[in-house]
């Protein structure tokens, strides 16, 4: 399945949009120590008037500013290996910035802001790319990640339409039902866990007994058939508007 088609299942739920947002870099174990090491350099530099306070505000507000800039339409969950790669990149740029250099007035805050913006972009892309990669499978999949909200381990769940035959698709539906059936049965937790599956964010069912799986299967099968039809098209493929299952 082409890259564009593989991403279609995710298009509805991963579009950047106003909504809940978190921050990530502070979940790296070295964050506090590394950022604490940058502040002392500000008092030993001969920078332009106002640059030191501006740089200090940026460093002190790094996590809160990221909170405001990292806007996603999906839960902010990122594989630890990707988080650590991004952290290493950011630390390297900050180390270079504060390594015995002096700058013309106004330059330091600009460079610092540039590093910050690059960090936000890297975090956002890594979160989305991880979801897209998961969606390229057939049926229910999970991957190891860390929550940017709590910095605790998590397993994001996705449902992909990349099934090549009706037999694979039937197995995917069975796997989806089994996954839903095994969700937590604690009051309130079942519905919350169900909403974490892409496409089910609108569901209000509070128990498996109230879930209309016949309707869900019919809706998802329409999506799959549309995906299969798109594979037969040549040239640029239109974005598929996936139907949300009626729960």
């Amino acid at each position: 399945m082409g890259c564009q088609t593989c991403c279609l299942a995710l298009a509805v739920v991963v579009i950047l949009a106003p909504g809940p947002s978190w921050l990530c870099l502070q979940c790296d174990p070295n964050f506090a120590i590394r950022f604490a090491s940058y502040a002392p350099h500000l008092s030993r530099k001969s920078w332009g008037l106002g640059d030191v306070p501006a740089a200090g505000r940026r460093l002190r507000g790094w996590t809160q500013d990221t909170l405001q800039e990292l806007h996603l339409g999906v839960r902010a969950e990122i594989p630890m290996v990707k988080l650590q790669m991004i952290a290493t990149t950011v630390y390297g740029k900050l180390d270079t910035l504060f390594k015995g250099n002096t700058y013309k007035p106004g330059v330091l805050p600009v460079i610092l802001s540039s590093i910050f913006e690059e960090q936000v972009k890297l975090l956002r892309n890594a979160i989305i790319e991880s979801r897209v990669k998961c969606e390229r499978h057939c049926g229910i999949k999970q991957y190891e990640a860390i929550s940017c909200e709590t910095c605790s381990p998590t397993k994001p769940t996705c449902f992909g339409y990349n099934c090549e035959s009706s037999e694979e698709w039937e197995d995917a539906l069975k796997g989806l039902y089994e996954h839903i059936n095994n969700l937590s049965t604690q009051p309130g937790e079942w519905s919350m866990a169900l909403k974490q599956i892409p496409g089910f964010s609108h569901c209000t069912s509070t128990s498996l007994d109230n879930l209309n799986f016949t309707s869900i299967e019919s809706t998802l099968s329409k999506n799959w058939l549309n995906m299969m039809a798109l594979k037969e098209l040549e040239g640029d493929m239109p974005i598929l508007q996936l139907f949300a299952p009626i729960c």
Side-chain angles (χ1 to χ4, degrees):
M1 184 177 289
C3 182
Q4 286 178 297
T5 306
C6 293
C7 298
L8 291 178
L10 188 65
V12 175
V13 296
V14 83
I15 297 174
L16 297 183
S21 53
W22 301 267
L23 54 163
C24 281
L25 200 65
Q26 91 289 353
C27 295
D28 177 72
N30 297 316
F31 176 82
I33 295 176
R34 295 301 288 265
F35 267 69
S37 71
Y38 300 134
H41 290 277
L42 296 177
S43 62
R44 299 200 298 267
K45 298 296 181 181
S46 182
W47 290 322
L49 182 64
D51 285 7
V52 171
R57 284 193 297 271
R58 171 59 79 189
L59 290 176
R60 290 192 302 271
W62 196 276
T63 55
Q64 184 61 36
D65 292 342
T66 303
L67 171 66
Q68 296 175 356
E69 295 295 328
L70 188 61
H71 296 291
L72 294 169
V74 296
R75 294 169 64 89
E77 296 167 312
I78 182 172
M80 177 56 79
V81 63
K82 290 191 175 184
L83 174 59
Q84 292 179 332
M85 289 174 61
I86 294 172
T88 298
T89 298
V90 174
Y91 299 152
K93 290 182 178 294
L94 291 174
D95 288 344
T96 300
L97 177 64
F98 291 111
K99 191 175 182 179
N101 297 320
T102 57
Y103 303 91
K104 293 180 180 179
V107 172
L108 176 63
V110 171
I111 297 178
L112 203 53
S113 293
S114 176
I115 296 173
F116 170 81
E117 292 169 2
E118 180 182 1
Q119 170 234 205
V120 172
K121 181 178 179 180
L122 290 173
L123 290 171
R124 184 188 296 123
N125 288 345
I127 293 169
I128 293 175
E129 288 170 2
S130 297
R131 291 275 184 168
V132 170
K133 183 178 179 180
C134 188
E135 289 282 357
R136 288 175 182 167
H137 293 90
C138 170
I140 282 286
K141 294 292 179 180
Q142 292 181 311
Y143 59 96
E144 302 287 341
I146 185 169
S147 168
C148 292
E149 182 180 12
T150 63
C151 293
S152 59
T154 183
K155 284 189 175 182
T157 301
C158 61
F159 183 79
Y161 291 87
N162 191 20
C163 304
E164 298 297 331
S165 67
S166 57
E167 290 77 13
E168 285 188 8
W169 178 245
E170 289 299 325
D171 287 340
L173 290 176
K174 290 178 182 178
L176 173 63
Y177 181 78
E178 291 173 358
H179 176 79
I180 293 176
N181 191 47
N182 291 330
L183 293 177
S184 173
T185 57
Q186 295 298 319
E189 293 184 8
W190 189 89
S191 179
M192 185 179 301
L194 179 65
K195 291 177 183 295
Q196 293 179 17
I197 304 176
F200 289 80
S201 60
H202 69 290
C203 287
T204 57
S205 297
T206 57
S207 71
L208 183 64
D209 294 336
N210 296 329
L211 200 61
N212 189 340
F213 199 76
T214 299
S215 173
I216 291 173
E217 180 175 342
S218 175
T219 302
L220 297 185
S221 292
K222 289 180 182 178
N223 289 339
W224 177 66
L225 290 173
N226 287 339
M227 296 281 286
M228 295 292 286
L230 282 178
K231 289 177 60 178
E232 303 300 324
L233 298 178
E234 297 181 357
D236 294 334
M237 291 183 296
I239 294 297
L240 174 65
Q241 181 65 45
L242 297 176
F243 300 105
I246 300 175
C247 302

